[in-house]
Amino acid sequence: MATSLGANTYNRQNWEDADFPILCQTCLGENPYIRMSKEKYGKECKICARPFTVFRWCPGTRMRFKKTEVCQTCSKMKNVCQTCLLDLEYGLPIQVRDTGLDIKDDVPKSDVNKEYYTQNAEREIGNSDGTRPVGLLGKAPSSSEMLLKLARTTPYYKRNRPHICSFWVKGECKRGEECPYRHEKPTDPDDPLADQNIKDRYYGINDPVADKLLKRASTMPRLDTPEDKTITTLYVGGMGDTISDAELRNHFYQFGEIRTTTIVQRQQCAFIQFATRQAAELAAEKSFNKLIINGRRLTVKWGRSQAARGKESFQDGVSEMGTRLDPVPGLPGALPPPPALEEDAPTNYFNLDPGTSPNVMNISLPPPPGINPPPPGFGAPMFHMGSMGPPPPMGMRPPGHIHYPSQDPQRMGAHAARHGD
């Protein structure tokens, strides 16, 4: 057997001796300064059962200690992390990656065939530069739309938390805050994610995490193309403060000519306007749920036309995102929309009864009590509502109908101003 420590030097030549592990960013931790313990031939690989060098470290404060689980040969064959067995490029399980790339890499599971397969893989890895995957994975296409949509762009350090304290679950933990384990309620034992196997994850079968991600990929939203052919603008959201105009242009120029690029720094978004509708459709198709710049996944949507924004402005109590807003107490109600034509506008500015005669003239306001009435010619302003009696001369007639007292030519101020001219 390969795990024997006897005098069989042939098997001992196949044992692995490494200086540094192959890890993903999540397993390595957020602390750039970590200490690792190295144990030469410390354990056997859980896939090929050959002894290999085991590394052990703590990825950060209040995190559990982690160690390598498989040898580097098995890690390079599948291009996965030695600890979590997730793909190094996308951060996804092997089953999801192989489904997205449409490959089927059958690794033998019997001891003899597994040993022979591993030796051939080591020979192929030795002949390569060591930076790219080998086998069927090395010949697979470079990317897939489903993988780009599901790929994790930032480390998920929550995965490094300690395990749940079994004594605390039974109510018997006496260490309190000094306990290195989590004092939380355990998950449902019937949950499929609670039953994970490292070999099933490596071989890409019966992986509950992969099944959950594949179901999410089948229900992911799609970006519908607007019917208005004049829309050639794309909305890019979630930019943050680190993405510049040049970086946006470097991504979108490959789809067609860009007319304008507008960045709204306060809202952390941008608007990319293309010269043609065909270029905008191609950019939307290739960038929706797949655009990653500076490690940030950006939101790509279609812009709205001016007509659509004008109609939405009349919606009462509806925000730009389409959610219903509660009315604010104390504020006046919404004003009615303006009439379509000027001819349709009503002329009843004083809210008079429509049944009264429109030829009402010389409505004088009575003086306040205790004040003598003014002499003739200096009375209160008159409201002229109609045309009774002889009309005034042409030079004194104001343009249009008289509606307000300030437009009355009989007032003293208007008369004096006219004589002053």
Side-chain angles (χ1 to χ4, degrees):
M1 292 293 294
T3 59
S4 174
L5 293 177
N8 193 340
T9 58
Y10 174 78
N11 287 335
R12 297 193 65 176
Q13 287 178 356
N14 293 331
W15 293 1
E16 179 185 281
D17 184 12
D19 295 328
F20 198 82
I22 301 175
L23 301 174
C24 63
Q25 183 63 35
T26 300
C27 292
L28 197 58
E30 56 183 344
N31 186 7
Y33 307 101
I34 61 174
R35 300 177 61 183
M36 283 189 177
S37 64
K38 175 183 176 182
E39 185 179 3
K40 198 173 182 179
Y41 311 139
K43 286 184 175 296
E44 66 177 22
C45 175
K46 294 186 177 180
I47 303 300
C48 64
R50 296 187 307 168
F52 72 105
T53 303
V54 178
F55 295 88
R56 189 173 182 269
W57 72 99
C58 182
T61 308
R62 301 294 297 176
M63 301 292 179
R64 73 177 186 272
F65 274 83
K66 308 189 78 173
K67 63 181 180 6
T68 53
E69 305 290 347
V70 299
C71 65
Q72 293 196 4
T73 301
C74 295
S75 172
K76 292 178 181 178
M77 284 193 303
K78 293 282 191 175
N79 192 34
V80 295
C81 172
Q82 280 188 265
T83 301
C84 63
L85 298 188
L86 296 181
D87 185 76
L88 294 174
E89 182 176 357
Y90 302 104
L92 298 173
I94 297 176
Q95 184 176 349
V96 178
R97 182 199 63 192
D98 293 351
T99 304
L101 298 179
D102 197 15
I103 60 176
K104 189 176 181 181
D105 192 5
D106 293 329
V107 178
K109 300 179 182 180
S110 63
D111 293 340
V112 178
N113 293 336
K114 188 190 306 180
E115 185 75 20
Y116 177 74
Y117 184 86
T118 305
Q119 291 179 3
N120 292 337
E122 281 185 337
R123 189 179 302 110
E124 187 176 357
I125 293 173
N127 296 332
S128 63
D129 57 357
T131 59
R132 297 181 180 181
V134 297
L136 293 179
L137 185 59
K139 302 175 184 178
S142 58
S143 62
S144 170
E145 293 187 3
M146 183 188 73
L147 296 182
L148 291 176
K149 292 179 181 179
L150 296 175
R152 182 177 291 277
T153 58
T154 56
Y156 185 63
Y157 297 121
K158 188 178 179 181
R159 205 171 62 212
N160 299 333
R161 294 181 303 168
H163 297 294
I164 295 177
C165 179
S166 59
F167 288 90
W168 181 85
V169 174
K170 295 182 292 185
E172 301 176 358
C173 183
K174 301 179 181 180
R175 288 189 282 189
E177 295 182 355
E178 297 180 357
C179 182
Y181 299 96
R182 280 188 295 158
H183 288 182
E184 296 179 6
K185 183 179 179 180
T187 58
D188 186 6
D190 297 332
D191 187 5
L193 297 180
D195 185 15
Q196 301 184 31
N197 188 287
I198 188 171
K199 290 188 176 182
D200 290 343
R201 173 173 293 184
Y202 185 83
Y203 292 124
I205 57 174
N206 301 328
D207 190 353
V209 179
D211 294 337
K212 180 180 178 181
L213 292 174
L214 291 175
K215 291 179 181 178
R216 181 189 303 176
S218 60
T219 58
M220 290 188 71
R222 300 177 59 183
L223 185 62
D224 297 331
T225 305
E227 298 179 358
D228 189 357
K229 297 298 182 182
T230 60
I231 300 178
T232 59
T233 305
L234 294 181
Y235 165 83
V236 182
M239 293 177 50
D241 301 329
T242 60
I243 300 177
S244 61
D245 178 83
E247 292 173 333
L248 286 177
R249 286 183 173 270
N250 289 340
H251 171 77
F252 285 104
Y253 86 97
Q254 58 183 319
F255 306 113
E257 180 183 354
I258 298 177
R259 183 172 296 172
T260 57
T261 302
T262 306
I263 296 181
V264 185
Q265 198 65 37
R266 184 177 180 180
Q267 304 294 336
Q268 295 186 352
C269 65
F271 296 92
I272 313 296
Q273 184 180 13
F274 289 88
T276 60
R277 174 59 178 260
Q278 182 179 2
E281 292 181 359
L282 181 61
E285 179 185 357
K286 298 296 183 181
S287 303
F288 179 66
N289 275 351
K290 293 178 287 187
L291 178 56
I292 301 173
I293 299 179
N294 291 345
R296 296 180 65 93
R297 181 183 294 277
L298 304 183
T299 304
V300 177
K301 297 181 181 179
W302 279 99
R304 294 178 296 176
S305 62
Q306 297 291 339
R309 273 182 281 183
K311 292 180 180 179
E312 290 183 1
S313 63
F314 289 106
Q315 293 181 357
D316 182 21
V318 179
S319 67
E320 294 183 358
M321 301 302 294
T323 57
R324 178 66 61 178
L325 301 178
D326 297 332
V328 180
L331 294 181
L335 296 175
L341 299 175
E342 278 190 20
E343 292 78 4
D344 300 337
T347 57
N348 189 7
Y349 295 97
F350 297 97
N351 296 326
L352 297 177
D353 188 5
T356 59
S357 173
N359 297 326
V360 179
M361 189 178 178
N362 299 337
I363 305 177
S364 61
L365 299 176
I371 299 178
N372 296 328
F378 296 92
M382 311 298 291
F383 296 93
H384 295 267
M385 301 300 296
S387 56
M388 294 181 60
M394 295 299 295
M396 298 174 59
R397 185 179 302 173
H401 297 282
I402 298 176
H403 302 296
Y404 302 102
S406 60
Q407 298 176 344
D408 187 1
Q410 301 295 331
R411 294 181 71 244
M412 182 176 63
H415 184 73
R418 186 173 66 253
H419 282 283
D421 294 337

